[in-house]
Amino acid sequence: MCMQLDPEQTGFIAVENFTSLAEHHELQLDPSKLEMLLALVQSNEHGHVCYQELIELLSSKRSSSFRRAIANGRRTLQREILLDETGLGVYKRFVRYVAYEILPCETDRRWYFHQNRLCPPPVFMAVITIVQIIVFMCYGVMLNKWVLQTYQPDFMKSPLVYHPGHRAQIWRFFSYMFMHVGLEQLGFNALLQLMIGVPLEMVHGILRISLLYMAGVVAGSLTVSITDMRAPVVGGSGGVYALCSAHLANVVMNWAGMKCPYKLLRMILALVCMSSEVGRAVWLRFSPPLPSSGPQPSFMAHLSGAVVGISMGLLILRSYEESLHKQCSWWVLIFSFITFLLFAIFWNIFAYELLGVQIPPPP
């Protein structure tokens, strides 16, 4: 095909050859992809199309230049919007709902709708939520306490809780996300993970969303170890706030393009709920309602998760179907995160002794 479309091997295909291929092809292309091919050629001002972009499109990959070309030629996309599609099954209607909840561009929504496959399913957020519920129920039965479990002395003895006295046990910087203060925190986190995390994972894939979630979790525990050095940490709020902050920031920056219903009301409600959860965590940290044997869990994981979401998460959500490693801003974020990680390691090794921090005895 390369020699036929690009006989001089220049890396570009003449518009006439491209149009002939698109209109008389024998390839099995879905209508949305064929429509984008025609939009790409009609939006080109130089009379040729990059051969590599054609190959990427046929293999379900899109570059930034392809996105810009489609945006410039969007007037040539004559099909009706996705909401007007009729005769859809239950699953396809759900996919369409997810597309309008997550993606700000009609072209991206149609692309996702036609490219979506049930395999692989969005298992990461579902598995994390199920494990968190199972762990909470096990400790609820063991402690005979379902609300404010952290006031039970045996709760802090769990090998999953991050405690500053056990910070040499590296897994605790991750595993604390499976423990929760009580039923109220677990319910809040589980609801957001399923309502926001699952649709994000369906659109952006398990690798990107799991990376974002775990980055929020790790940033949460590391931030607490630096800024609130005597406090333990429990709950998956760092990862949850990374997902929610990224999604809300993406909605704000693409306000005109987002077509989810009642978006202003829903955003206000989400911000109120997230702020209330942070306020509750601050209250429990500094004004515990019950006598406790040591400091209560820190709230700094919430804030650091939000920072991860607004920075790394927003870039991920704005790069739908685009390669992150080809973007300079992605490497800047990776370098910044690695620098923060190295600083946190140094801080945890030396700062506690240098500053004379009185750590509560580990349980």
Side-chain angles (χ1 to χ4, degrees), residues 152-217:
Q152 175 64 255
D154 291 337
F155 180 88
M156 289 297 174
K157 296 181 181 180
S158 169
L160 301 178
V161 174
Y162 168 81
H163 189 282
H166 291 307
R167 65 185 185 281
Q169 299 174 353
I170 305 300
W171 72 83
R172 291 178 180 263
F173 286 89
F174 300 87
S175 61
Y176 78 92
M177 68 180 182
F178 297 113
M179 303 291 291
H180 287 81
V181 172
L183 184 62
E184 62 286 353
Q185 186 190 25
L186 173 65
F188 180 80
N189 286 348
L191 183 64
L192 291 180
Q193 286 173 179
L194 295 177
M195 291 185 61
I196 296 180
V198 170
L200 287 176
E201 186 179 348
M202 290 178 62
V203 173
H204 296 281
I206 184 173
L207 291 179
R208 293 189 176 190
I209 298 305
S210 61
L211 173 64
L212 175 58
Y213 185 88
M214 294 308 300
V217 169

Side-chain angles (χ1 to χ4, degrees), residues 109-298:
R109 289 191 282 261
R110 290 216 304 270
W111 175 274
Y112 167 72
F113 180 80
H114 290 288
Q115 289 292 116
N116 177 264
R117 301 291 184 270
L118 187 57
C119 185
V123 296
F124 175 77
M125 294 311 308
V127 169
I128 290 293
T129 304
I130 291 173
V131 173
Q132 289 173 340
I133 293 174
I134 292 175
V135 170
F136 175 78
M137 293 181 65
C138 291
Y139 276 92
V141 173
M142 292 169 52
L143 304 174
N144 193 26
K145 192 175 183 65
W146 302 93
V147 178
L148 299 179
Q149 289 184 347
T150 52
Y151 290 92
Q152 175 64 255
D154 291 337
F155 180 88
M156 289 297 174
K157 296 181 181 180
S158 169
L160 301 178
V161 174
Y162 168 81
H163 189 282
H166 291 307
R167 65 185 185 281
Q169 299 174 353
I170 305 300
W171 72 83
R172 291 178 180 263
F173 286 89
F174 300 87
S175 61
Y176 78 92
M177 68 180 182
F178 297 113
M179 303 291 291
H180 287 81
V181 172
L183 184 62
E184 62 286 353
Q185 186 190 25
L186 173 65
F188 180 80
N189 286 348
L191 183 64
L192 291 180
Q193 286 173 179
L194 295 177
M195 291 185 61
I196 296 180
V198 170
L200 287 176
E201 186 179 348
M202 290 178 62
V203 173
H204 296 281
I206 184 173
L207 291 179
R208 293 189 176 190
I209 298 305
S210 61
L211 173 64
L212 175 58
Y213 185 88
M214 294 308 300
V217 169
V218 175
S221 55
L222 291 178
T223 301
V224 170
S225 71
I226 295 172
T227 61
D228 199 359
M229 301 168 68
R230 301 183 68 251
V233 190
V234 296
S237 298
V240 170
Y241 274 64
L243 295 178
C244 294
S245 299
H247 178 57
L248 293 179
N250 191 43
V251 171
V252 170
M253 296 190 67
N254 299 279
W255 189 262
M258 298 300 292
K259 301 301 181 182
C260 47
Y262 309 108
K263 56 185 176 182
L264 179 59
L265 177 61
R266 292 165 61 181
M267 172 160 288
I268 294 175
L269 181 61
L271 291 175
V272 169
C273 292
M274 293 172 65
S275 301
S276 300
E277 173 62 18
V278 173
R280 174 183 170 278
V282 173
W283 170 61
L284 291 178
R285 173 68 180 90
F286 295 111
S287 300
L290 298 174
S292 60
S293 57
Q296 287 299 297
S298 177

Side-chain angles (χ1 to χ4, degrees), residues 16-27 34 38:
E16 295 79 7
N17 295 341
F18 190 96
T19 304
S20 176
L21 170 69
E23 293 179 349
H24 304 93
H25 68 91
E26 296 180 357
L27 302 175
L34 177 58
L38 293 174

